[in-house]
Amino acid sequence: MKKSNKIKTDKRVTENGEKKAKEKALSVGYFQLFRFATCKDTLMMLVGSLCAVIHGAATPLMLLVYSRMTNTFVAYEIEVQTLQNENTTCSNNTIYWKNGSTYETAGNHSVFCGVDIEAQMTMFAYYYVGIGIGVLFVSYFQIVFWMSAGARQTYQMRKTYFKKIMQMEIGWFDCNSVGELNTRMSDDISKINNAIAEQVSFFIERMSTFVFGFLVGFIGGWKLTLVVIAVSPLIGIAAGLMAMAVARLTGRELASYAKAGAVADEVLLSMRTVAAFGGEEKEAERYDRNLEEAQIWGVKKGTIIGVFQGYLWCIIFFCFALAFWYGSKLVIDTKELSPGTLIQVFFGILMAAINLGEASPCLEIFAFGRAAAKNIFDTIDREPEIDCFSEDGHKLERVKGDIEFHNVTFHYPSRPEVKILNDLSMQIKAGETTAFVGPSGSGKSTTIQLIQRFYDPKEGMVTLDGHDIRTLNLQWLRSLIGIVEQEPALFATSIADNIQFGRPGVTMEDIIQAAKEANAYNFIMELPQKFDTLVGEGGGQLSGGQKQRIAIARALIRNPRILLLDMATSALDNESEAVVQKALDKVCTGRTTISIAHRLSTIKNADVIIGFERGQAVEKGTQRELIERQGVYFTLVTLQNQGPSNTAKDALEDDFKASRRTSSGRGSVRLRSQSKLSNGTSSDSIMRIYDKQLSTEKQTREDDAEEHVEPAPVSRILKYNQPEWPYMLLGSLGAAFNGSLNPVYAVLFSQILGTFGISDLNEQRKQINGICILFCIVAVITFFAQFLQGYAFAKSGERLTRRLRKKGFQAMLRQEIGWFDDPINSPGALTTRLATDASMVQGATGTQIGMIVNSLTSIGASFIIAFYFSWKLTFVILCFLPLIGLCGVFQAKMLLGFANDDKKAMEAAGRVSSESLANIRTIAGLAKEGSFVESYQQKLVLPYKSERKRANIYGLCFSFSQCVIFMAYAASFRYGGHLVSSEGLQYMMVFRVITAVVTSGRALGKTSSFTPDYAKAKIAAARLFRLLDRIPRISISHADGEKWDDFRGEIEFLNCNFTYPTRPEARVLNGLVVSVKPGQTLAFVGSSGCGKSTSVQLLERFYDPTEGEVLIDGRPSREVNVPFLRSQIGIVSQEPVLFDCSIAENIQYGDNTRSVSMDAVVEAAKKAHLHDFVMTLPEKYETQVGAQGSQLSRGQKQRIAIARAIVRNPKILLLDEATSALDTESEQIVQSALDEARKGRTCITIAHRLSTIQNADIIAVMSNGSVIEQDTHGNLMAKRGAYYELVKTGAPIS
């Protein structure tokens, strides 16, 4: 949360926080992750682990068979070679000379003969098949048990976590942001799930292979084992360093991307402001600057991966050379090993090392899980200070409704240094209406929150009928209270459901009755679906007044003993206000009512008025008594009477309500709507806090949309990568060489085996030395090739990503504003799309091209070698290749399919959670936490079931793909044996062909695992291209449309009709006709939703009218160049959007066509009456304003916005309720600043209070989208029409 502390302290805090976080992150023990496991889960995990151990032992076991088989082949080869001599013969399994003496080799050994190669091979084949079938079963159970157990625990964890969050007191939410909690619920729990599900079984399986691999090595020959082990630390250290370096660089890259994402988010949230001030190019540059940084880190990361990969392969090949050289010495010179045991030792150790390496990513996943669990378990273990699910506490038999505060002191948990209530004592009598008045921040709203027991006082107590409310049952206490707030939160369901939230189990009659009492019945019946109308996210489909009346109906249906009205009528226009006020007056009778005054007219009927100041109740009495006392109340009244209107009170209230909400931690839970340019009519006024949710809703829509996206052709993706072709060429060369490593290895390896069949020892040694030197040469070349591949593709890929992100962002900024109104294009959705789509496209270029070239050369070279040496054997093995490949593909497909179902299913739960957290105060006030927890738990059942189903299918694929390789060995070696015996094929060729084809099969599997990335990349690219190709309805190009020099600023609306693109059924403007001459001021007045702000948006060309036209200096607006037109217009809106930078930069934003000098900034600030205030700040114009200007009060933001408009030096000034948010003093200052700014300019102002526009040249009264009367103030008063009525009721027009 943004606090009012300055940024510097924040930095210090975050640094300390990070240190602490690191210490804390380690404190969840790994086995604590399983705290939700039942006995059944534990049993499943144990059996799963046992299966994983057996599965892990299978491959080393196979080596024993492999080694005996090698010996058989070598013996047979020697026998065949010896018997080629005419003078030798075989008898009793030994070779004799024809003269009967025993045949001896150079080493004085006799030679055995009579090896029945086919029978031997059949036996080995059975061994292989047996091991394969064993693996089939154990690997299936290993996956199924672990995944099911994981799914069950995760399901339990999500339920417990959400329930615990809903149980927390409101103060906890002040200190935890809703967005963060939602992320934790989705991402963090998934991370824990990864750490306790199938990954554990993989870890156990790999460790088991590691242990058994070493055992097999040591059993075979300890000397060679030790030599190989001596080299392995080199590999381990490199792998460790690489992991560290990559993690650090990834972190930095992500941080830069996050910065760029924050820029994009801020810009898209404030799209109307960016468009109005022509800041599109400036923002695209700012975005690109952060991308550039990310690109640099990305390239570094790619290069480092390349270097380390090269180093690893280099060491591995040197290791081969060493092991074979030393091993052959042991075989030939000392006869300690047979050729088979040499293979057994070498591969045993190699397998152990590889599996140890493959186990390390699992450790990383476990570490992520532990870190993620820290926050989640802390929350689950935290005892809420105020527990809403608790059954404790009394329920009183009779409730009178006397409320009393006894010396209450209080500060918000998120801002302990600011004391809000200071020894407050007061009495509120049962059945009376008590009004609270007082300046901003004096603690009025806070008292209401204490009565609801959202917080407990730090000192003193609050009592109900003499009982301390802390001793009462919380749910029961809240059921007595009805509350209507200034900005009511509605839930995204129907109107009837929203009213029903007030009290479960009410009939439709009760709902209708409550709606009538709240004066909502008539407008509801006018809607097409009446009570079943969906109100949209946060009630976004309704106007402020309509939301307010539904909230009042919701409060009334509770039939509460105590009614709290926190500025309940602030959002209403005069007519509705009068009616709602009447409804409220009627329902207040006989109840204890507390009303925080919004306009003094609303509290005339109060029995008692209490004046607040600095957290104390300083006066109490009726209206007349208080005026006589001449205290706080009197000051407010006089201020208002001197003020520009007799109701300035409402501004005053508004101002501090807002400043307090935004600057306090409470902004965490309730954010204001961002842009009210179209007052409650545009979907833009949907609360941003729902972005999260909208984006989930949009995702479901988007997923549907995705299905219809034709994947983009690769040629077009590569076209964007064109400037990098030299890099890609170099990278491909490197990749091609790296791909041919496997086949080269197959040739060298079989060659070494072949040497053992040579009887001449010197020839044998010579060949072995030659082969070892070849291994060393390959090692050196590999190092450079890997480096080349890593660097070149990182460079081309990162550049492409940056290019696409920038292009995508520019394309977004080019779209017309109507495009942003569509929930699919909500800011949250767009930033995600920018981030994910552009980086996904890398899946079809960049490193992926390298991988594909690598795999293709590997497969190509392997097949050439295999077919060259024995085409028959190659065909036999080829039968298995599709199975091996298919398993890879099938596995990827299955996981992908489920991932989508899962995502959709989790989205439904995500919607419930983000809606609940966004409106936690409302839910707590209605004591409805339980029903939201239930709803969330129901939504979890589906993903849980699909996870269980997925476990089975994944298990089947996995076990099948694991056992295929054993079957392939069985068949190919058996047939190889046949070829050796019947066709005289050399045994080393059997090894060569099998090794080559099997390694190429692995490469094929690897390639198939990229297919999902590749397909995703093409779809992501298609989505990006669709955005890039979209032609905006309103072009903001500097070339389109006409410009002229003597811009005068004459405006005319001719029969304009207009509907918002997102809601075509609701017509907002209906034949609007009004004109204004250069230099004149035109004021629009009328009730909310009548189209005042909309007409301003047509003038800015955010939209074009559906019929009719807007003329500017006599030219139709559609034909005018948009940047030119907007450069002539300055706008100040009701809730100005500021950017998260300094005050000076915000003012300079007014003119993006030039660089605005500091003098011009100061000049504008002086005109806007801002300069004096800025000079009181420690950092003056360099003061940061915070996100959306949260560090400033509304009056200050407003004046910055005015200075920003003045810097522009516009010909037309648009003021959209520019002073509505201010208290009396600020308003007078700002009003005079505006009067100053209006001089010599055409001005259109939307009136908030009638007094502010009495001196306008034309006042146009609007109703239902058209002007019903227009003239000067005097003439309109004389006409005694609609305007006269408005002035007479004397209340603000919202």
Side-chain angles (χ1 to χ4, degrees), residues 1132-1187:
V1132 182
S1133 48
Q1134 179 185 10
E1135 296 193 356
V1137 173
L1138 299 185
F1139 294 98
D1140 191 354
C1141 51
S1142 69
I1143 293 181
E1145 287 168 308
N1146 267 300
I1147 296 176
Q1148 285 165 336
Y1149 204 85
D1151 194 345
N1152 288 314
T1153 53
R1154 59 191 170 109
S1155 71
V1156 181
S1157 68
M1158 211 48 221
D1159 298 342
V1161 170
V1162 174
E1163 185 58 31
K1166 283 181 175 157
K1167 285 186 183 162
H1169 295 279
L1170 171 75
H1171 182 69
D1172 300 341
F1173 149 71
V1174 175
M1175 296 319 277
T1176 62
L1177 297 169
E1179 294 172 32
K1180 311 215 166 27
Y1181 281 96
E1182 292 310 308
T1183 308
Q1184 295 291 323
V1185 300

Side-chain angles (χ1 to χ4, degrees), residues 659-928:
S659 68
R660 214 167 86 224
R661 261 195 201 134
T662 34
S663 66
S664 88
R666 290 196 282 165
S668 58
V669 178
R670 196 194 294 138
L671 293 176
R672 298 190 64 94
S673 50
Q674 293 306 309
S675 151
K676 281 263 186 69
L677 264 171
S678 56
N679 195 4
T681 47
S682 136
S683 65
D684 207 72
S685 56
I686 291 177
M687 292 172 80
R688 288 292 166 219
I689 197 147
Y690 278 82
D691 254 8
K692 264 275 183 339
Q693 232 176 310
L694 269 182
S695 62
T696 55
E697 191 168 79
K698 132 250 139 187
Q699 268 168 340
T700 18
R701 265 219 254 171
E702 221 180 61
D703 285 344
D704 301 340
E706 255 176 50
E707 280 141 36
H708 308 306
V709 175
E710 281 295 306
V714 183
S715 54
R716 183 167 174 192
I717 303 179
L718 290 178
K719 202 178 269 166
Y720 276 95
N721 225 165
Q722 216 169 4
E724 282 78 41
W725 72 265
Y727 287 114
M728 292 170 79
L729 189 69
L730 276 177
S732 303
L733 284 175
F737 186 85
N738 292 330
S740 53
L741 278 186
N742 277 331
V744 166
Y745 158 75
V747 172
L748 294 179
F749 163 66
S750 56
Q751 200 64 42
I752 282 192
L753 285 184
T755 53
F756 293 125
I758 298 175
S759 31
D760 178 354
L761 291 186
N762 291 329
E763 178 62 22
Q764 228 179 344
R765 287 196 186 93
K766 204 172 97 185
Q767 285 208 11
I768 286 179
N769 292 343
I771 295 168
C772 290
I773 290 170
L774 276 176
F775 265 126
C776 294
I777 295 171
V778 171
V780 176
I781 301 177
T782 308
F783 176 75
F784 291 106
Q786 288 281 2
F787 163 72
L788 197 64
Q789 181 183 344
Y791 169 72
F793 282 121
K795 187 92 173 169
S796 69
E798 290 292 335
R799 278 190 167 181
L800 175 74
T801 305
R802 174 182 169 194
R803 187 172 298 128
L804 286 177
R805 278 197 178 195
K806 186 179 177 185
K807 284 245 161 67
F809 189 56
Q810 284 171 326
M812 284 174 189
L813 297 184
R814 268 206 314 272
Q815 304 305 327
E816 74 279 5
I817 297 292
W819 185 75
F820 293 94
D821 291 345
D822 186 336
I824 288 187
N825 301 322
S826 70
L830 291 178
T831 26
T832 323
R833 219 180 295 172
L834 263 183
T836 51
D837 285 359
S839 46
M840 268 186 192
V841 174
Q842 252 189 302
T845 67
T847 25
Q848 291 290 42
I849 294 185
M851 300 287 192
I852 291 166
V853 170
N854 193 325
S855 299
L856 289 179
T857 37
S858 175
I859 293 167
S862 300
F863 279 132
I864 293 169
I865 290 173
F867 276 112
Y868 177 74
F869 288 111
S870 166
W871 60 271
K872 287 185 183 171
L873 183 55
T874 309
F875 275 125
V876 171
I877 317 175
L878 277 185
C879 303
F880 287 94
L881 260 196
L883 290 178
I884 296 176
L886 262 178
C887 285
V889 177
F890 191 50
Q891 216 166 314
K893 269 278 187 302
M894 286 316 317
L895 288 182
L896 242 157
F898 276 122
N900 281 339
D901 298 346
D902 242 34
K903 208 171 76 188
K904 282 188 184 164
M906 276 317 299
E907 262 167 23
R911 268 205 287 282
V912 174
S913 71
S914 63
E915 184 170 39
S916 330
L917 301 179
N919 304 317
I920 186 69
R921 277 166 199 264
T922 309
I923 294 172
L926 296 168
K928 269 277 162 291

